Amino acid sequence: RKRLEIKLTQKNTQIARDERLIETLPEAEKMAFRKSMQNAIAEREEIQNLLGQIHDLRQFFEGNHVTAM
């Protein structure tokens, strides 16, 4: 979970940086940059989904008082 949270922070930083940079690029480079940014956004969504699943599993196991062996 911790690694995913770190990765999520990194993705958010990358996306914010890309959003700022895209405005400074020549038109010819913007298309490729947008594609890269779309990939980063998709990766961020996947990380968020995984973190949500981990949260749900923790809630389930804590609610059922199941302990790992």
Side-chain angles (χ1 to χ4, degrees):
R1 177 182 61 92
K2 199 65 160 165
R3 280 190 270 166
L4 285 174
E5 289 171 346
I6 291 167
K7 205 163 178 65
L8 180 59
T9 299
Q10 292 170 340
K11 280 296 163 195
N12 284 331
T13 301
Q14 176 188 356
I15 292 166
R17 183 192 68 228
D18 289 354
E19 287 172 338
R20 287 189 307 273
L21 288 176
I22 201 164
E23 300 303 320
T24 66
L25 294 175
E27 205 58 43
E29 294 178 30
K30 285 185 180 182
M31 184 73 124
F33 209 77
R34 281 192 182 103
K35 181 65 178 161
S36 173
M37 200 164 78
Q38 288 172 343
N39 288 338
I41 290 169
E43 290 169 1
R44 178 182 65 185
E45 290 172 356
E46 180 62 23
I47 293 166
Q48 289 171 326
N49 287 336
L50 290 170
L51 285 168
Q53 290 173 14
I54 290 169
H55 175 76
D56 292 346
L57 286 171
R58 289 184 69 177
Q59 290 277 333
F60 174 78
F61 285 114
E62 289 172 2
N64 289 315
H65 304 290
V66 175
T67 56
M69 294 184 141

